Amino acid sequence: MKYTLYLFLALAAFHANAQKKKNEPAPDRNLIIEQRLAAEVDRLALPGGGKLGVTAIHIESGKRFSRFGGDPFPMASTYKVPIAVQLLTRVDSGKLSLDQMVEFSYRDMHIGSGMIAERFNWPNSAKPGVALSVRTLLELMLLISDNSTTDKCLELAGGPALVNACMKRWGVEGIRVDRPTSWLIADWLGIPWPDSSVAHRSCARPDCACT
């Protein structure tokens, strides 16, 4: 009789626990996946000792994942795309031509000059330097990631203020271009600039890349 009572109580407890689990809401699968993705992003960031910001959209379903997507991150060569957009806007408006030639001098040369350095001081050249079309400057900036041509393109685009205004017109928020590549590299090397407030603004938020 005693063992039968124990068995009955055990079965009753098992039934009550099963019924409780049945009544509990099912785990949110999307939330679990998002938590696992966030943990993986954090794991990948550990070796670099920094913070990794990621935003992604699954095209077919429209599902979105973001990890620190609203935080500003310093831009490297990705900031050359907004410059190109504003420069091409000026071309479309007729203020510039892709065939327009632009002269380069030594003062236009910066760290990471790529192919431009090789075009200076041609043998028997009467005038050191080189002249390149706006089209070539864009190609070198976007395809070779040449820093000197990038700063020249930023100048031709009308400067940082016009680049930022162009992004705003297109509805792209959270991306700022406030300084040339020479300033970006100096900041990376730890060289201070007089206007330190500008040195921390050229940045983008991952969420802005997925709009």
Side-chain angles (χ1 to χ4, degrees), residues 56-64:
I57 296 177
H58 188 259
I59 300 300
E60 288 77 9
S61 66
K63 292 181 179 179
R64 184 186 186 95

Side-chain angles (χ1 to χ4, degrees), residues 17-128:
N17 188 49
Q19 189 66 28
K20 180 180 178 182
K21 288 185 177 181
K22 182 179 179 181
N23 294 332
E24 290 178 352
D28 188 337
R29 184 172 179 271
N30 291 332
L31 179 60
I32 294 174
I33 293 174
E34 184 172 338
Q35 290 173 342
R36 289 178 178 176
L37 283 173
E40 180 64 11
V41 170
D42 293 344
R43 185 189 68 82
L44 293 172
L46 283 175
K51 183 171 69 174
L52 182 60
V54 177
T55 299
I57 296 177
H58 188 259
I59 300 300
E60 288 77 9
S61 66
K63 292 181 179 179
R64 184 186 186 95
F65 168 76
S66 180
R67 182 64 170 166
F68 302 119
D71 293 356
F73 288 86
M75 285 191 291
S77 290
T78 53
Y79 103 129
K80 296 172 182 178
V81 176
I83 295 173
V85 172
Q86 166 57 14
L87 181 52
L88 289 172
T89 298
R90 300 197 75 191
V91 171
D92 288 342
S93 67
K95 295 179 180 179
L96 289 174
S97 168
L98 289 175
D99 296 325
Q100 179 178 330
M101 301 301 291
V102 179
E103 287 193 2
F104 255 79
S105 65
Y106 280 115
R107 67 180 181 83
D108 297 314
M109 300 289 291
H110 299 144
I111 297 174
S113 296
M115 297 175 59
I116 297 297
E118 301 172 2
R119 297 180 179 272
F120 276 83
N121 293 325
W122 288 103
N124 303 318
S125 174
K127 181 181 178 182

Side-chain angles (χ1 to χ4, degrees), residues 1-10:
M1 182 66 181
K2 182 172 65 174
Y3 295 109
T4 302
L5 179 60
Y6 287 158
L7 179 59
F8 174 77
L9 291 175

